[in-house]
C-alpha cells in the first residue's frame, strides 16, 4: 500500500505540500544508486540524444474501423475557479556500458492555482539496467507501487529496450495515483488514454487511480497527442465536422478488444481555433453531464494553445530532458562512478560513409 | 580547460566555471609530446554553445515571463552538474607566440597542438615578462598587472620610437604621459612637451605642493612671457614656414618677404621696427604689401618676437641644460591663441631640427597633446619619417584618435591604449600595425579607468593590461566646475 503525500489543508484546495511523500522516490533512488554501484570504472558509449522521450501513442487499443455517427457536443466555457493538474514523465537512454544501458527517468506534476502554475518535479533517477538486474529493478519498483500481487506474472518483465518507458510509466502511474488521492474537486489531466490491461498499465492500477479521483470529486481527462483510431476510414482527429470550436465529438459504442479495457468514454476534442484536435478519454464512471462540465471547466480555467491544455504542455516540457541535462547526467556518472567515455565507431557511417545515416536514425 | 578549435591564429578554449580566465589573461597551451607550447591571450569570453540551453532557459520562464514556482526533488543532485555545464565558457584567444624547448620564443602559430593531450594553464605576467625578456637596464615601472605583479618596461624601448597615448576623456592619458616624462628625465633624457592645458606645469612639485626631485629639471616656457625669439636669431627658412603654414601667406608675397628679409639682413637691420618700415617702403604690388602687413602685425601681436636678444635665450639654455643633466621643457600653450600656438610650434620644431642637425642636441623626446590643434598637415609625415632621423621621438597624446592620421598609426611603435567605448574610435586605433583589430576592439572596450592596454615594442608585442601606478605630482589642468564651490 502506498502512503499518501503529506498534506495540509488550504481554504480552497487540498494539494501536496512539501515535504512530499517519498515511498516510491525513495525506492527509485535506492535502486538507482544500487544499479549504478556496479558500473565503477567501466567504459561508457554515449548515446545520440535524438531519442523519443515521452511520445505516447494509443497503439494498444485495437479498434476496428467502424461506421459510427458521432455526436457533436457544444462546449460552453465555465470560468468557475477549478484547479487543473497534469502529470507527465519522460525517459531517456544516456549511454551504453559493456553489460547494459544507462537510462534516466523523470516525472512532473503541474497545477494551475490562483492563475499561477506550480510544479513538483521528481528526478532525474538514473539506472544502470543489465540483463541480470532488469527483473529485480522492475519487480522491486512494481512491488513498491502495486503491491506483492502484481508481480506474480513474470511475463510482464520488459526487455532491455522497453525498460526506459516501462520505468517511466511506473513513475507516472504513481504520480497519477498520488495526485488523484490528494486533490479535491479538480481536473486531473493525463497524457495518453484511459485504456488499461497492458503490461505497463494493469487494469487494476488504472481502476484504482480513477476510483480515488472520483472519491474526492475529481474528474480525470486523458489527452492523446497521437491516435491511430479511425472513423469511417479516417483518423478520428482529422474527420471533423464544420463546427465552431470548442466542441466534443462523442464516439459512442467503441469497445476495446480483451484483455484491453477502456476506462473512459472516447471523444475527439477540438477546444480552440486552429486545426488541432485530440483524442480525449474521460472517466467512464462520471455522469454524462459531469464529463461535459469537466471539459467546460477546463476551457474556462486553463490556457489552450492549439486546443491543448497548457498545464499538460508544461508537464511535458518540465519532465523532458534537454541535451544540456543529458550532458550533465553523463558528467555526473563519469565523475561519480569513474566511467570512461568511449566512442565506438558508428558502423553505418564506417561502412557507408556519407550514405550512412547513423544508428540513431535507422 | 580544453582546446576546442583553432582557426588561423585564433584558438577557442572550453573553460569550466571553476577555471577563471578573463579578457587579457595569458594562457599556455602545452603539448608535451611536441615539445612546444603556444602562448595565447584571451581576447573575449563567451558562453559555450551547449546544446539544449535555450530550451532550459525557455522552460524556466513559461509563467507569463516570471519564474515558475515549484519544488525539485533531485536526489542524485544532478542540478549542480547542469549549472556547471550551462556556465561553461568559450575563451577566444589570440596566439601570440610559440615556445620551443621551454625558452625560445617565436611569433609563429603554424603548428597544431594536440586537442586531447595538451594541457592548458594560466601564464602569469611575471613569467610572460621573463619569457619575452621584457626588462632592461633602464626600467620604467608602469604599474600593476591583474595578478598583482609590476609591469616594468625599458626606457630604451621608447628611444627612437613613435608612440601614441590615446583613450577617452578622464581615463588617465596625461597621468601616464607624466609618468613617462618623469622617468625619461630621471634617465637624463631631454623631453619637450607641448602642454595645451597647463597640465604639466607642476611636474616638479609633489601632490602637497613641495618641490620634488625633478624640480630643477622642469623648465616651463610660456610664449610671449619667458619664451620669446629675436628676429636676428631666426633662420629665414623657419620664419617662412611660420608665414606660409601658420599665417597662410601666399607664394608671391612670400617671395617678396624673402627679398625684404635678405635686404635687411645685409644691412644688419633685422628688427621688428625695421621690418615694418621695409614692408611699408618696399616697391611692390599693393595687395602684396597688404598681405605682408597683415602677417607682420600677427607676428608683432603674438608677443612672441622681440628685438632684445637677451630676452630670447631661455629655450637654448634650457635645452643645453637638459642635454647635460636631463630635463623637460614644458611649452605652456594654455593661454595662447590658435594662430600663436602654430607660430610657436613651427618655430620650436624648426629650432629643434636646427640644433639636432648641427649635433648641438643628441635627441629629444617630444610629447604632443592634441597635436591636431597646432600641428600643420605636412608635419605629421615629417615627424614620423624625417624628424625621427634627426632625433625627435614623438609621443602623441589624444582623446580623439581620428585626429591622428592613419599612416601615423601604421608606423607607431608603441600604443598605450586607455578605454574607448565608441566603435568608430576603436576602429581607428585598430589600424595600428603592431596589433590586431580584434584585440584592440575587445579589450579596450572593457578597460576600467587608469587601466591601459600596452601594445608594441615596449612589451615585445605581447599586449598587456596595466593599472598605471600613482605618481606624486601636483595635479594641474583640472576642469573648472561651476558647481564645485556651491556645496
Amino acid at each position: 500500500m502506498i502512503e499518501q503525500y503529506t498534506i495540509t489543508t488550504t481554504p480552497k484546495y487540498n494539494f501536496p505540500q512539501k515535504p512530499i511523500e517519498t515511498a516510491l522516490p525513495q525506492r527509485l533512488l535506492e535502486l538507482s544508486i544500487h544499479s549504478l554501484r556496479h558500473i565503477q570504472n567501466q567504459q561508457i558509449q554515449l548515446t545520440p540524444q535524438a531519442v523519443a522521450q515521452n511520445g505516447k501513442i494509443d497503439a494498444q487499443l485495437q479498434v476496428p474501423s467502424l461506421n459510427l455517427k458521432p455526436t457533436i457536443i457544444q462546449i460552453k466555457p465555465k470560468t468557475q475557479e477549478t484547479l487543473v493538474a497534469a502529470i507527465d514523465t519522460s525517459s531517456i537512454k544516456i549511454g551504453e556500458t559493456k553489460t547494459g544501458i544507462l537510462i534516466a527517468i523523470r516525472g512532473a506534476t503541474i497545477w494551475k492555482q490562483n492563475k499561477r502554475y506550480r510544479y513538483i518535479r521528481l528526478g532525474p533517477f538514473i539506472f544502470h539496467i543489465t540483463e541480470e538486474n532488469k527483473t529485480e529493478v522492475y519487480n522491486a519498483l512494481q512491488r513498491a507501487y502495486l503491491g506483492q500481487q502484481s508481480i506474480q506474472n513474470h511475463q510482464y518483465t520488459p526487455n532491455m529496450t522497453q525498460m526506459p518507458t516501462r520505468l517511466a510509466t511506473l513513475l507516472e502511474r504513481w504520480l497519477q495515483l498520488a495526485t488523484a488521492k490528494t486533490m479535491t474537486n479538480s481536473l486531473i489531466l493525463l497524457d495518453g488514454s484511459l485504456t488499461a490491461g497492458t503490461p505497463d498499465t494493469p487494469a487494476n492500477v488504472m481502476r484504482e487511480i480513477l476510483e480515488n479521483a472520483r472519491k474526492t470529486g475529481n474528474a480525470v481527462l486523458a489527452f492523446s497527442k497521437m491516435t491511430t483510431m479511425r472513423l469511417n476510414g479516417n483518423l478520428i482527429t482529422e474527420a471533423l465536422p464544420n463546427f465552431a470550436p470548442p466542441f466534443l465529438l462523442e464516439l459512442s459504442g467503441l469497445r476495446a478488444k480483451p484483455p484491453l479495457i477502456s476506462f473512459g468514454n472516447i471523444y475527439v476534442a477540438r477546444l480552440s481555433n486552429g486545426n488541432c484536435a485530440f483524442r480525449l478519454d474521460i472517466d467512464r464512471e462520471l455522469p454524462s453531464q459531469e464529463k461535459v462540465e469537466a471539459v467546460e471547466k477546463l476551457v474556462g480555467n486553463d490556457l489552450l494553445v492549439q486546443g491543448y491544455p497548457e498545464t499538460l504542455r508544461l508537464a511535458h516540457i518540465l519532465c523532458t530532458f534537454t541535451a544540456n541535462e543529458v550532458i550533465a547526467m553523463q558528467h555526473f556518472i563519469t565523475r561519480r562512478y569513474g566511467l570512461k567515455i568511449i566512442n565506438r565507431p558508428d558502423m553505418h557511417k564506417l561502412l557507408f560513409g556519407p550514405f550512412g545515416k547513423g544508428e540513431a536514425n535507422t | 580547460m580544453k582546446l576546442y578549435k583553432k582557426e588561423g591564429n585564433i584558438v577557442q578554449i572550453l573553460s569550466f566555471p571553476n577555471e577563471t580566465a578573463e579578457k587579457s589573461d595569458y594562457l599556455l597551451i602545452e603539448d608535451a609530446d611536441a615539445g612546444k607550447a603556444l602562448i595565447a591571450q584571451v581576447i573575449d569570453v563567451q558562453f559555450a554553445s551547449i546544446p539544449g540551453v535555450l530550451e532550459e532557459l525557455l522552460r524556466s520562464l513559461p509563467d507569463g515571463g516570471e519564474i515558475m514556482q515549484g519544488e525539485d526533488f533531485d536526489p542524485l543532485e544532478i542540478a549542480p552538474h547542469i549549472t556547471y555545464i550551462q556556465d561553461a565558457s568559450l575563451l577566444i584567444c589570440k596566439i601570440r607566440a610559440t615556445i620551443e624547448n621551454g625558452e625560445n620564443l617565436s611569433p609563429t602559430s603554424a603548428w597544431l597542438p594536440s586537442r586531447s593531450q595538451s594541457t592548458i594553464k594560466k601564464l602569469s605576467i611575471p613569467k610572460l615578462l621573463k619569457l619575452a625578456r621584457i626588462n632592461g637596464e633602464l626600467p620604467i615601472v608602469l604599474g600593476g598587472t591583474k595578478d598583482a605583479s609590476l609591469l616594468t618596461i625599458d626606457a630604451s624601448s621608447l628611444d627612437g620610437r613613435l608612440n601614441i597615448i590615446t583613450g577617452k576623456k578622464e581615463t588617465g592619458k596625461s597621468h601616464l604621459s607624466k609618468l613617462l616624462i618623469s622617468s625619461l628625465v630621471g634617465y637624463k633624457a631631454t623631453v619637450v612637451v607641448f602642454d595645451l592645458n597647463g597640465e604639466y606645469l607642476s611636474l616638479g612639485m609633489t601632490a602637497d605642493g613641495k618641490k620634488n626631485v625633478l624640480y630643477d629639471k622642469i623648465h616651463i616656457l610660456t610664449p610671449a612671457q619667458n619664451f620669446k625669439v629675436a628676429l636676428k636669431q631666426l633662420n629665414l627658412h623657419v620664419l617662412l614656414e611660420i608665414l606660409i603654414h601658420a599665417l597662410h601667406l601666399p607664394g608671391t608675397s612670400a617671395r617678396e618677404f624673402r627679398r625684404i628679409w635678405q635686404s635687411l639682413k645685409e644691412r644688419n637691420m633685422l628688427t621688428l621696427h625695421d621690418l615694418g618700415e621695409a614692408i611699408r617702403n618696399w616697391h611692390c604690388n599693393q595687395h602684396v604689401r597688404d598681405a605682408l602687413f597683415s602677417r607682420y602685425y600677427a607676428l608683432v601681436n603674438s608677443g612672441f618676437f622681440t628685438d632684445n636678444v637677451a630676452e630670447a635665450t631661455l629655450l637654448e639654455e634650457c635645452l643645453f641644460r637638459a642635454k647635460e643633466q636631463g630635463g623637460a621643457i614644458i611649452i605652456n600653450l594654455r593661454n595662447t591663441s590658435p594662430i600663436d600656438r602654430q607660430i610657436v610650434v613651427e618655430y620650436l620644431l624648426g629650432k629643434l631640427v636646427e640644433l639636432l642637425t648641427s649635433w648641438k642636441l643628441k635627441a629629444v623626446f617630444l610629447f604632443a597633446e592634441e597635436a591636431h590643434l597646432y600641428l600643420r598637415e605636412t608635419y605629421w609625415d615629417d615627424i614620423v619619417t624625417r624628424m625621427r632621423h634627426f632625433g625627435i621621438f614623438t609621443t602623441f597624446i589624444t582623446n580623439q584618435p581620428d585626429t591622428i592620421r592613419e599612416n601615423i598609426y601604421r608606423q607607431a611603435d608603441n600604443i598605450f591604449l586607455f578605454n574607448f567605448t565608441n566603435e568608430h574610435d576603436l576602429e581607428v586605433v585598430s589600424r595600428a600595425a603592431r596589433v590586431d583589430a580584434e584585440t584592440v576592439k575587445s579589450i579596450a572596450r572593457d578597460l576600467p579607468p587608469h587601466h591601459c592596454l600596452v601594445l608594441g615594442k615596449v612589451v615585445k608585442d605581447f599586449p598587456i593590461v596595466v593599472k598605471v601606478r600613482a605618481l606624486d605630482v601636483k595635479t594641474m589642468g583640472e576642469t573648472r566646475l561651476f558647481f564645485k564651490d556651491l556645496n
Side-chain angles (χ1 to χ4, degrees), chain B residues 3-216:
Chain B
L3 186 57
Y4 171 56
K5 212 184 252 185
K6 178 180 179 290
E7 279 172 10
N9 64 349
I10 299 252
V11 282
Q12 295 184 14
I13 290 168
L14 195 62
S15 167
F16 292 99
N18 54 347
E19 301 162 324
T20 52
E22 294 176 2
K23 265 188 198 182
S24 82
D25 284 350
Y26 275 91
L27 303 175
L28 191 69
I29 305 162
E30 240 175 332
D31 187 336
D33 292 340
K36 291 197 271 193
L38 286 175
I39 296 178
Q41 185 177 29
V42 181
I43 59 165
D44 199 12
V45 183
Q46 302 175 351
F47 284 119
S49 173
I50 307 290
V53 168
L54 181 63
E55 291 90 326
E56 201 73 50
L57 297 174
L58 281 174
R59 76 175 170 190
S60 68
L61 294 169
D63 199 6
E66 288 176 27
I67 290 175
M68 195 158 63
Q69 299 293 313
E71 295 290 330
D72 272 297
F73 180 69
D74 177 18
L76 295 175
E77 294 181 346
I78 304 291
H81 294 265
I82 297 172
T83 318
Y84 185 76
I85 301 289
Q86 259 181 17
D87 289 346
S89 53
L90 196 66
L91 309 176
I92 311 296
C93 308
K94 202 94 184 170
I95 297 172
R96 301 289 180 208
T98 291
I99 312 177
E100 282 182 77
N101 307 321
E103 54 179 18
N104 299 331
L105 277 189
S106 60
T108 177
S109 59
W111 65 288
L112 197 62
S114 160
R115 188 188 260 170
S116 56
Q117 301 302 316
S118 293
T119 57
I120 302 171
K121 57 189 176 191
K122 272 172 90 168
L123 181 63
S124 68
I125 297 294
K127 200 167 176 191
L128 173 72
L129 298 179
K130 198 176 164 191
L131 281 167
R133 299 187 182 92
I134 301 170
N135 43 33
E137 291 171 359
L138 305 171
I140 298 176
V141 179
L142 283 189
T145 61
K146 210 167 58 181
D147 51 8
S149 60
L150 292 176
L151 175 63
T152 306
I153 60 166
D154 188 5
S156 59
S157 58
L158 300 172
D159 198 3
R161 308 288 184 213
L162 174 67
N163 312 306
I164 296 172
I165 300 175
T166 187
K168 66 182 182 191
K169 276 197 312 186
E170 294 171 354
T171 48
K173 299 181 300 299
S174 301
H175 178 78
L176 176 67
S177 313
K178 287 173 196 171
L179 194 153
L180 293 177
I181 293 165
S182 309
S183 306
L184 288 169
V185 171
Y187 290 124
K188 297 189 175 179
T190 305
V191 180
V192 173
V193 183
F194 289 136
D195 184 4
L196 204 61
N197 301 308
E199 286 180 71
Y200 299 83
L201 303 182
S202 295
L203 210 52
M205 313 279 268
T206 60
D208 54 3
K210 293 175 186 162
K211 292 178 184 177
N212 64 21
V213 287
L214 298 177
Y215 183 80
D216 294 329

